[in-house]
């Protein structure tokens, strides 16, 4: 289905000794687009001189590159390893000139230095010395990352793209709130931070799968005391023991969160984490390892978690404004739909997916409708197509009841 998205052009800048890393950064940008552009309504367009410039005469070579890809770009990812690069007639090197032009235009530059090993016999000592002098000259007024491998630069770039997308989304939503509520007292931070939490939830990096429910309120809580944390702990323990009835959870408190971990033999133990941010955002995350994700688990945990963020005494009296659900880092085998939809393709294996659904809600939010939309989008993302009629007629609360009864038998 077609969707609208803003396009941000990213210049990938470096001297010629990082050819492989340049390609990796470009592929990271394209991967991010595939996974997240629809959610953020944002597309990153990688720009490189190798692929996005054409030859010109009677013009300084670096100026030609600047004119063709630099001047209209929005973001720069710059890298160095053993070379600073060749002088351009205007600056120490092409990459340095590009960085300085971005800085003078007040555009963001993400700067990385490679610390991977190199063979001394292949290094130009003068270039290495010039690079170290440049790095030293910017050390006091620049923040940059150092990477030691191609996997590290990939991780750093994906993190940067996620953070940048969240900041862009915050700014857009903040401007929208100002337009809509120009003369109305409001607290936009809660809805701004909602997207940051949802983005964070959708990029969990542990093994197994994460199911996350994020809720945004008009305002934050006034207190989060020991009694309220005990309430959360008792609730999370009950839910965990409904799945792992013979195991006792261990609890961990913080200023704004409660974490309950179930003691099992798994490498990564099942855990519930409940976080209440004082700007008005609640997040509940469930993590576990299973060969398949049972769909009845998914529905049950959504139901009880949404009930928690709606009815918890911590947010008593607060109006729920926005609700989001994500399923991320899922097992590769797929979703087991046998119990809920007997006709679905439960024997087909799929690669991991990341399903995100969000919606503005009001005080009369229909929880069943919210979760059905999330389940529908998730199954479609995983390639299931024969469940629509069954889902439309399904009473989700019956799934919860049947599942809990099954566990108690």
């Amino acid at each position: 289905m077609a969707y609208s998205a803003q396009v941000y052009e990213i210049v990938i800048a470096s001297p010629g000794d990082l050819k492989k890393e340049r390609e990796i950064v470009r592929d990271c940008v394209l991967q991010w687009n595939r996974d997240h552009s629809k959610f953020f309504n944002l597309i990153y367009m990688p720009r490189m001189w190798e692929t996005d410039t054409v030859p010109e005469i009677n013009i300084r070579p670096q100026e030609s590159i600047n004119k063709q890809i630099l001047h209209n770009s929005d973001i720069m990812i710059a890298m160095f390893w053993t070379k600073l690069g060749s002088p351009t007639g205007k600056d120490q090197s092409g990459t340095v000139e590009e960085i300085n032009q971005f800085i003078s235009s007040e555009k963001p530059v993400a700067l990385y230095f490679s610390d991977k090993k190199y063979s001394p016999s292949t290094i130009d000592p003068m270039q290495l010395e010039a690079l170290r002098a440049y790095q030293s000259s910017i050390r006091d007024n620049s923040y940059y990352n150092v990477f030691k491998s191609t996997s590290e630069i990939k991780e750093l770039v994906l993190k940067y793209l996620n953070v940048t997308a969240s900041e862009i989304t915050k700014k857009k939503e903040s401007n929208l709130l100002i337009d809509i509520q120009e003369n109305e007292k409001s607290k936009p931070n809660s809805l701004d931070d909602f997207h940051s939490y949802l983005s964070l939830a959708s990029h969990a990096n542990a093994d197994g799968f994460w199911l996350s429910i994020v809720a945004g309120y008009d305002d934050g809580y006034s207190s989060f005391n020991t009694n309220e944390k005990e309430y959360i702990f008792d609730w999370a323990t009950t839910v965990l023991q409904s799945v792992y009835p013979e195991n006792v959870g261990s609890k961990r408190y913080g200023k704004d969160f409660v974490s309950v971990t179930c003691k099992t033999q798994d490498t990564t133990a099942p855990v519930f984490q409940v976080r209440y941010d004082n700007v008005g955002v609640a997040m509940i995350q469930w993590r576990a390892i299973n060969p398949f994700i049972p769909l009845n688990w998914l529905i049950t945990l959504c139901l009880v978690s949404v009930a928690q963020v709606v009815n918890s005494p911590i947010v008593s009296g607060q109006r729920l404004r926005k609700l989001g659900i994500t399923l991320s880092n899922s097992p590769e085998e797929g979703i087991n739909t046998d119990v809920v939809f007997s006709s679905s393709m439960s024997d087909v294996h799929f690669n991991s997916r990341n399903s995100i659904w969000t919606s503005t809600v009001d005080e009369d939010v229909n929880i069943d409708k919210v979760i059905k939309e999330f389940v529908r989008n998730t199954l479609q993302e995983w390639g299931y197509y024969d469940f629509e009629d069954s889902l439309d007629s399904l009473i989700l609360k019956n799934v919860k009841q049947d599942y809990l009864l099954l566990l108690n038998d």
Side-chain angles (χ1 to χ4, degrees):
M1 183 180 293
Y3 62 95
S4 299
Q6 284 186 294
V7 178
Y8 284 76
E9 295 190 357
I10 298 182
V11 174
I12 303 171
S14 78
D17 57 342
L18 286 171
K19 183 177 184 297
K20 182 177 181 180
E21 283 75 8
R22 292 171 62 81
E23 294 173 352
I24 287 173
V25 171
R26 178 201 60 201
D27 292 344
C28 281
V29 174
L30 298 177
Q31 176 186 329
W32 190 97
N33 288 337
R34 288 191 297 269
D35 294 341
H36 307 298
S37 63
K38 189 171 184 179
F39 169 61
F40 284 101
N41 297 121
L42 186 156
I43 293 173
Y44 292 122
M45 183 68 68
R47 304 298 301 274
M48 302 166 64
W49 70 264
E50 305 98 304
T51 56
D52 296 287
T53 63
V54 294
E56 292 185 297
I57 62 173
N58 295 327
I59 184 172
R60 189 169 59 92
Q62 184 60 48
E63 183 57 37
S64 176
I65 293 173
N66 296 348
K67 183 184 71 172
Q68 293 185 59
I69 66 173
L70 200 72
H71 293 164
N72 293 324
S73 293
D74 307 286
I75 300 166
M76 176 179 289
I77 295 176
M79 300 176 291
F80 292 98
W81 181 25
T82 64
K83 295 181 178 180
L84 187 63
S86 302
T88 63
K90 185 176 181 180
D91 224 318
Q92 295 171 272
S93 75
T95 305
V96 172
E97 181 174 329
E98 290 167 359
I99 291 173
N100 289 339
Q101 287 216 7
F102 250 66
I103 293 173
S104 65
S105 301
E106 298 184 348
K107 296 178 182 180
V109 178
L111 182 58
Y112 304 94
F113 286 89
S114 175
D115 197 28
K116 67 177 184 176
K117 294 180 179 181
Y118 57 83
S119 173
S121 62
T122 64
I123 300 304
D124 181 337
M126 294 182 64
Q127 277 286 315
L128 187 59
E129 182 180 352
L131 174 61
R132 287 173 175 168
Y134 172 73
Q135 187 174 1
S136 178
S137 71
I138 65 170
R139 183 172 286 119
D140 291 338
N141 60 0
S142 300
Y143 175 74
Y144 52 79
N145 285 131
V146 176
F147 64 95
K148 295 183 178 181
S149 65
T150 54
S151 61
E152 280 191 27
I153 186 60
K154 180 177 180 180
E155 181 180 343
L156 288 169
V157 168
L158 287 175
K159 179 181 178 181
Y160 176 75
L161 297 176
N162 289 334
V163 170
T164 302
S166 295
E167 291 298 321
I168 291 170
T169 302
K170 278 186 180 182
K171 185 175 181 180
K172 287 192 297 184
E173 186 158 342
S174 179
N175 291 338
L176 179 62
L177 283 170
I178 291 172
D179 291 340
I180 294 175
Q181 302 174 345
E182 184 176 0
N183 299 314
E184 184 180 334
K185 184 179 179 181
S186 63
K187 188 173 183 180
N189 280 346
S190 62
L191 295 185
D192 289 346
D193 285 2
F194 174 89
H195 281 289
S196 294
Y197 271 92
L198 197 62
S199 177
L200 175 67
S202 67
H203 302 111
N205 57 9
D207 293 333
F209 69 87
W210 286 82
L211 173 68
S212 305
I213 293 88
V214 182
Y217 298 89
D218 273 336
D219 211 341
Y221 56 83
S222 57
S223 67
F224 194 15
N225 58 39
T226 301
N227 289 337
E228 290 163 340
K229 291 175 181 178
E230 287 289 348
Y231 165 84
I232 298 291
F233 170 67
D234 292 341
W235 167 79
T237 300
T238 299
V239 177
L240 269 173
Q241 288 186 333
S242 71
V243 182
Y244 299 96
E246 297 181 358
N247 295 282
V248 178
S250 61
K251 62 183 178 181
R252 189 164 60 93
Y253 287 162
K255 181 178 68 174
D256 56 359
F257 77 93
V258 171
S259 181
V260 182
T261 303
C262 189
K263 296 179 180 178
T264 70
Q265 300 301 315
D266 292 336
T267 303
T268 304
V271 62
F272 248 125
Q273 178 166 289
V274 184
R275 183 176 297 275
Y276 284 88
D277 192 310
N278 200 22
V279 298
V281 180
M283 180 167 69
I284 296 178
Q285 292 188 289
W286 157 266
R287 183 191 73 198
I289 290 180
N290 285 94
F292 286 86
I293 305 173
L295 184 57
N296 52 343
W297 283 27
L298 202 64
I299 292 173
T300 302
L301 293 170
C302 281
L303 280 167
V304 298
S305 298
V306 171
Q308 172 64 208
V309 298
V310 171
N311 300 324
S312 171
I314 289 88
V315 292
S316 177
Q318 298 293 340
R319 178 172 177 244
L320 182 64
R321 292 283 301 278
K322 207 170 186 70
L323 189 66
I325 306 174
T326 82
L327 177 66
S328 59
N329 273 42
S330 308
E332 293 187 356
E333 284 81 355
I335 300 175
N336 188 338
T337 62
D338 270 350
V339 176
V340 180
F341 306 129
S342 58
S343 63
S344 285
M345 304 177 296
S346 59
D347 60 336
V348 178
H349 293 198
F350 299 91
N351 291 325
S352 298
R353 303 292 188 199
N354 184 57
S355 175
I356 303 175
W357 180 86
T358 64
S359 175
T360 300
V361 298
D362 56 29
E363 291 173 335
D364 300 319
V365 58
N366 184 320
I367 301 300
D368 276 19
K369 182 178 179 181
V370 169
I371 296 174
K372 280 184 180 180
E373 285 299 314
F374 170 68
V375 170
R376 173 179 282 110
N377 288 357
T378 299
L379 291 178
Q380 287 176 344
E381 186 73 19
W382 280 70
Y384 294 80
Y385 299 105
D386 58 346
F387 63 88
E388 289 286 354
D389 292 340
S390 301
L391 181 61
D392 289 339
S393 61
L394 184 66
I395 301 174
L396 296 185
K397 291 178 182 178
N398 290 349
V399 176
K400 174 184 175 183
Q401 182 180 11
D402 293 345
Y403 179 60
L404 294 178
L405 285 176
L406 178 66
L407 289 172
N408 293 329
D409 285 347

